[in-house]
Amino acid sequence: MQAPPRLKGREVFFGLDKGLKAVEFNRKDLLGMEDLSREEITHILDTAEAFKEISEREIKKVPTLRGKTVVHFFYEPSTRTRTSFEIAAKRLSADTISLSASTSSLVKGETLIDTVRNLEAMKPDAIVIRHSSSGAPHLLSQQIKSTVINAGDGTHEHPTQALLDMLTMREIKGKLEGLRVTIIGDITHSRVARSNMIALRTMGAEVRVAGPPTMLPPQLEEYGVEIFHRPEGALEGADVIMMLRIQLERMKQHLFPGAREYARYYGLNPKRLELCAPDAIVMHPGPMNRGVEISPEVADGPYSVILDQVTNGVAVRMALLYLLIGGERDT
Ligand code: CP
């Protein structure tokens, strides 16, 4: 195993200082939070915590993934996920290539599988993919030998977002177990909500979700979450509030009359924030609609940890690249 540099020791790296059992992380891909056990999630978060220090150095680069190649293939727009994956790979000295749908031969009619098989013929170690179709990364993982990392697939999952969210919560609150986390917004169409509901329940958090009935999927209770149609009850005593982006394009589907009504009935503003625990933190995966799901006073206020989430995104993606292609996996 190739140890990342400047760690205090193998025991610290594996979380043994926190009384945790050292776990193997022996996976080819990261496709979703559904697949991961509590021990694996803890191991990823511990690894990310150890990697955070590298981004504080003057020279933010270590040789851990020298000689490895990571392809970032984004079929949908992205600011945070794409940039932080690129930064993460570069800080670990991997070679990176970035491809978007509009500049690839997809525009000439090549299929996704043909495209990825051609990419694989160039021997990358990992392909990071964001796609508008739910299940696209799963399909690719069956077709290719390279590691596949899901950077968001349709309305299904966004596992690295859930991991960076949990790293942020654990860092500030010191634990995940028993934490009261409230997620508000369009749960039906949110891959961020789905990955977080699954992962937070795995880690023993209490999860409440709130949104208009048109934005809550059937069988939501199967996730083990408490369901609210108004935000007030869901916010009472909450330790963490996660506001979701309202996909304004979906307003055309009559899920809600309009942005102003949404802000009035579901938006997080200073008055609603008073219902939460006194030391509550406010999260948002971005991009935000200021004045719709979150007021600017809350987004920029003292409870907001939105930019901490972004910082932690780099550490989580460094950890995942290291664990998946850096040498812990049996080959
Ligand atoms: N949170 C998130 O996925 O943001 P981007 O769409 O900018 O990557």
Side-chain angles (χ1 to χ4, degrees):
M1 195 200 88
Q2 191 181 8
R6 285 219 205 165
L7 292 165
K8 281 179 244 153
R10 191 182 160 91
E11 283 71 25
V12 172
F13 182 56
F14 282 102
L16 293 180
D17 60 329
K18 298 188 182 94
L20 299 166
K21 194 164 78 67
V23 289
E24 292 274 324
F25 194 85
N26 194 18
R27 289 182 174 271
K28 171 182 169 288
D29 306 308
L30 179 78
L31 301 177
M33 298 311 297
E34 255 165 352
D35 308 330
L36 298 184
S37 67
R38 191 171 182 148
E39 289 72 26
E40 286 175 303
I41 293 172
T42 303
H43 187 44
I44 296 168
L45 300 184
D46 289 346
T47 310
E49 208 171 89
F51 272 118
K52 269 194 88 165
E53 178 265 332
I54 294 167
S55 296
E56 301 299 328
R57 297 183 194 175
E58 198 179 330
I59 309 292
K60 301 173 181 59
K61 208 171 183 74
V62 292
T64 311
L65 295 185
R66 195 162 51 199
K68 304 281 183 181
T69 306
V70 181
V71 175
H72 300 106
F73 197 7
F74 278 64
Y75 277 69
E76 282 186 334
S78 167
T79 298
R80 284 147 287 266
T81 313
R82 184 174 183 156
T83 312
S84 63
F85 260 117
E86 288 240 19
I87 289 175
K90 286 187 160 72
R91 290 201 176 147
L92 296 173
S93 300
D95 296 313
T96 66
I97 291 107
S98 213
L99 198 63
S100 55
S102 61
T103 55
S104 75
S105 286
L106 281 161
V107 290
K108 300 179 202 163
E110 192 168 40
T111 65
L112 170 65
I113 289 184
D114 280 339
T115 303
V116 173
R117 280 193 183 138
N118 278 272
L119 291 175
E120 181 159 73
M122 299 177 218
K123 311 290 179 200
D125 296 281
I127 298 181
V128 177
I129 182 159
R130 170 171 286 190
H131 200 280
S132 51
S133 297
S134 300
H138 305 67
L139 179 68
L140 296 186
S141 87
Q142 292 159 12
Q143 300 282 330
I144 62 173
K145 289 199 183 80
S146 308
T147 285
V148 176
I149 303 179
N150 182 359
D153 64 320
T155 57
H156 180 230
E157 278 226 41
H158 193 347
T160 61
Q161 179 71 41
L163 287 163
L164 73 87
D165 290 340
M166 288 192 296
L167 180 62
T168 309
M169 291 178 213
R170 198 181 75 162
E171 206 170 66
I172 299 168
K173 297 290 176 188
K175 61 172 189 176
L176 293 170
E177 184 152 16
L179 217 54
R180 286 162 297 183
V181 182
T182 295
I183 306 175
I184 300 179
D186 183 358
I187 309 293
T188 303
H189 297 99
S190 175
R191 54 196 177 203
V192 173
R194 188 157 290 99
S195 285
N196 265 297
M197 287 190 295
I198 295 166
L200 285 164
R201 292 298 298 132
T202 303
M203 300 308 288
E206 281 175 35
V207 183
R208 304 164 180 176
V209 297
T214 48
M215 294 181 180
L216 300 177
Q219 274 110 42
L220 187 53
E221 60 285 349
E222 286 175 13
Y223 288 92
V225 299
E226 209 179 335
I227 302 160
F228 295 82
H229 291 153
R230 298 278 299 126
E232 283 74 16
L235 288 171
E236 216 148 286
D239 300 304
V240 179
I241 306 105
M242 188 181 293
M243 298 307 294
L244 300 174
R245 178 175 87 89
I246 281 304
Q247 301 174 31
L248 292 169
E249 61 276 16
R250 295 192 198 282
M251 294 293 180
K252 294 187 198 99
Q253 299 169 10
H254 307 295
L255 295 180
F256 210 80
R260 194 184 304 178
E261 284 76 10
Y262 191 85
R264 183 164 167 211
Y265 291 103
Y266 291 92
L268 189 61
N269 53 35
K271 196 163 169 7
R272 287 205 172 108
L273 195 55
E274 282 174 18
L275 298 168
C276 307
D279 59 348
I281 56 171
V282 175
M283 307 178 83
H284 193 301
M288 284 186 279
N289 296 302
R290 284 172 177 271
V292 183
E293 70 266 8
I294 189 164
S295 74
E297 302 95 293
V298 174
D300 303 325
Y303 301 99
S304 170
V305 296
I306 294 168
L307 295 178
D308 300 276
Q309 290 173 259
V310 179
T311 302
N312 283 336
V314 175
V316 156
R317 287 159 183 140
M318 286 171 84
L320 284 168
L321 287 170
Y322 165 72
L323 292 170
L324 289 164
I325 64 170
E328 273 199 50
R329 177 156 69 98
D330 294 341
T331 51

mmCIF file of all heavy atoms in Angstrom, residues 9-24:
data_model
loop_
_atom_site.group_PDB
_atom_site.id
_atom_site.type_symbol
_atom_site.label_atom_id
_atom_site.label_comp_id
_atom_site.label_asym_id
_atom_site.label_seq_id
_atom_site.Cartn_x
_atom_site.Cartn_y
_atom_site.Cartn_z
ATOM 1 N N GLY A 9 0.765 8.511 10.991
ATOM 2 C CA GLY A 9 1.051 7.080 11.101
ATOM 3 C C GLY A 9 -0.098 6.304 10.516
ATOM 4 O O GLY A 9 -1.189 6.822 10.362
ATOM 5 N N ARG A 10 0.171 5.042 10.213
ATOM 6 C CA ARG A 10 -0.839 4.194 9.606
ATOM 7 C C ARG A 10 -2.079 4.080 10.499
ATOM 8 O O ARG A 10 -3.208 4.065 10.031
ATOM 9 C CB ARG A 10 -0.209 2.826 9.362
ATOM 10 C CG ARG A 10 -1.028 1.900 8.517
ATOM 11 C CD ARG A 10 -0.302 0.575 8.413
ATOM 12 N NE ARG A 10 -1.213 -0.467 8.022
ATOM 13 C CZ ARG A 10 -1.463 -0.816 6.779
ATOM 14 N NH1 ARG A 10 -0.856 -0.216 5.806
ATOM 15 N NH2 ARG A 10 -2.306 -1.768 6.501
ATOM 16 N N GLU A 11 -1.840 4.017 11.832
ATOM 17 C CA GLU A 11 -2.970 3.862 12.756
ATOM 18 C C GLU A 11 -3.924 5.051 12.641
ATOM 19 O O GLU A 11 -5.127 4.892 12.600
ATOM 20 C CB GLU A 11 -2.480 3.747 14.208
ATOM 21 C CG GLU A 11 -1.908 2.396 14.551
ATOM 22 C CD GLU A 11 -0.571 2.163 13.884
ATOM 23 O OE1 GLU A 11 0.139 3.127 13.553
ATOM 24 O OE2 GLU A 11 -0.245 1.002 13.662
ATOM 25 N N VAL A 12 -3.337 6.263 12.578
ATOM 26 C CA VAL A 12 -4.174 7.460 12.477
ATOM 27 C C VAL A 12 -4.929 7.427 11.161
ATOM 28 O O VAL A 12 -6.132 7.674 11.083
ATOM 29 C CB VAL A 12 -3.301 8.728 12.580
ATOM 30 C CG1 VAL A 12 -4.148 9.957 12.277
ATOM 31 C CG2 VAL A 12 -2.694 8.828 13.964
ATOM 32 N N PHE A 13 -4.228 7.047 10.099
ATOM 33 C CA PHE A 13 -4.832 7.032 8.785
ATOM 34 C C PHE A 13 -6.043 6.109 8.725
ATOM 35 O O PHE A 13 -7.062 6.415 8.137
ATOM 36 C CB PHE A 13 -3.776 6.606 7.760
ATOM 37 C CG PHE A 13 -4.290 6.612 6.372
ATOM 38 C CD1 PHE A 13 -4.845 7.767 5.833
ATOM 39 C CD2 PHE A 13 -4.256 5.485 5.608
ATOM 40 C CE1 PHE A 13 -5.322 7.777 4.553
ATOM 41 C CE2 PHE A 13 -4.745 5.494 4.316
ATOM 42 C CZ PHE A 13 -5.287 6.642 3.790
ATOM 43 N N PHE A 14 -5.932 4.977 9.394
ATOM 44 C CA PHE A 14 -7.042 4.032 9.349
ATOM 45 C C PHE A 14 -8.080 4.282 10.435
ATOM 46 O O PHE A 14 -8.958 3.482 10.640
ATOM 47 C CB PHE A 14 -6.515 2.595 9.436
ATOM 48 C CG PHE A 14 -5.953 2.139 8.129
ATOM 49 C CD1 PHE A 14 -4.599 2.097 7.914
ATOM 50 C CD2 PHE A 14 -6.800 1.814 7.090
ATOM 51 C CE1 PHE A 14 -4.094 1.704 6.694
ATOM 52 C CE2 PHE A 14 -6.302 1.426 5.859
ATOM 53 C CZ PHE A 14 -4.942 1.370 5.664
ATOM 54 N N GLY A 15 -7.968 5.405 11.127
ATOM 55 C CA GLY A 15 -8.987 5.746 12.110
ATOM 56 C C GLY A 15 -8.858 4.971 13.403
ATOM 57 O O GLY A 15 -9.765 4.973 14.220
ATOM 58 N N LEU A 16 -7.705 4.293 13.609
ATOM 59 C CA LEU A 16 -7.587 3.493 14.823
ATOM 60 C C LEU A 16 -7.497 4.368 16.065
ATOM 61 O O LEU A 16 -7.816 3.936 17.147
ATOM 62 C CB LEU A 16 -6.350 2.575 14.731
ATOM 63 C CG LEU A 16 -6.464 1.496 13.664
ATOM 64 C CD1 LEU A 16 -5.208 0.648 13.645
ATOM 65 C CD2 LEU A 16 -7.662 0.599 13.885
ATOM 66 N N ASP A 17 -7.089 5.620 15.874
ATOM 67 C CA ASP A 17 -7.032 6.537 17.018
ATOM 68 C C ASP A 17 -8.432 6.865 17.520
ATOM 69 O O ASP A 17 -8.602 7.332 18.622
ATOM 70 C CB ASP A 17 -6.289 7.820 16.638
ATOM 71 C CG ASP A 17 -6.962 8.558 15.506
ATOM 72 O OD1 ASP A 17 -7.591 7.894 14.650
ATOM 73 O OD2 ASP A 17 -6.878 9.769 15.454
ATOM 74 N N LYS A 18 -9.452 6.607 16.694
ATOM 75 C CA LYS A 18 -10.832 6.872 17.130
ATOM 76 C C LYS A 18 -11.509 5.566 17.556
ATOM 77 O O LYS A 18 -12.718 5.472 17.602
ATOM 78 C CB LYS A 18 -11.620 7.513 15.986
ATOM 79 C CG LYS A 18 -11.054 8.852 15.562
ATOM 80 C CD LYS A 18 -11.995 9.497 14.562
ATOM 81 C CE LYS A 18 -11.442 10.815 14.082
ATOM 82 N NZ LYS A 18 -10.696 10.709 12.863
ATOM 83 N N GLY A 19 -10.705 4.547 17.786
ATOM 84 C CA GLY A 19 -11.251 3.273 18.224
ATOM 85 C C GLY A 19 -11.963 2.525 17.112
ATOM 86 O O GLY A 19 -12.781 1.663 17.357
ATOM 87 N N LEU A 20 -11.655 2.846 15.873
ATOM 88 C CA LEU A 20 -12.322 2.179 14.759
ATOM 89 C C LEU A 20 -11.485 1.005 14.276
ATOM 90 O O LEU A 20 -10.267 1.014 14.384
ATOM 91 C CB LEU A 20 -12.506 3.164 13.593
ATOM 92 C CG LEU A 20 -13.346 4.378 13.906
ATOM 93 C CD1 LEU A 20 -13.180 5.414 12.825
ATOM 94 C CD2 LEU A 20 -14.802 3.963 14.013
ATOM 95 N N LYS A 21 -12.169 0.028 13.732
ATOM 96 C CA LYS A 21 -11.481 -1.121 13.164
ATOM 97 C C LYS A 21 -10.957 -0.719 11.780
ATOM 98 O O LYS A 21 -11.663 -0.056 11.036
ATOM 99 C CB LYS A 21 -12.495 -2.254 13.018
ATOM 100 C CG LYS A 21 -11.892 -3.608 12.750
ATOM 101 C CD LYS A 21 -12.930 -4.686 13.016
ATOM 102 C CE LYS A 21 -13.944 -4.834 11.896
ATOM 103 N NZ LYS A 21 -13.479 -5.335 10.629
ATOM 104 N N ALA A 22 -9.713 -1.097 11.494
ATOM 105 C CA ALA A 22 -9.192 -0.821 10.147
ATOM 106 C C ALA A 22 -10.021 -1.604 9.136
ATOM 107 O O ALA A 22 -10.312 -2.772 9.323
ATOM 108 C CB ALA A 22 -7.744 -1.249 10.067
ATOM 109 N N VAL A 23 -10.494 -0.947 8.095
ATOM 110 C CA VAL A 23 -11.312 -1.645 7.098
ATOM 111 C C VAL A 23 -10.604 -1.626 5.756
ATOM 112 O O VAL A 23 -9.860 -0.713 5.444
ATOM 113 C CB VAL A 23 -12.709 -0.994 6.921
ATOM 114 C CG1 VAL A 23 -13.573 -1.234 8.121
ATOM 115 C CG2 VAL A 23 -12.593 0.477 6.609
ATOM 116 N N GLU A 24 -10.852 -2.640 5.015
ATOM 117 C CA GLU A 24 -10.353 -2.694 3.650
ATOM 118 C C GLU A 24 -11.253 -1.819 2.792
ATOM 119 O O GLU A 24 -12.447 -1.731 3.037
ATOM 120 C CB GLU A 24 -10.466 -4.130 3.134
ATOM 121 C CG GLU A 24 -9.544 -5.105 3.813
ATOM 122 C CD GLU A 24 -8.182 -5.119 3.159
ATOM 123 O OE1 GLU A 24 -8.118 -4.978 1.919
ATOM 124 O OE2 GLU A 24 -7.200 -5.252 3.885
#
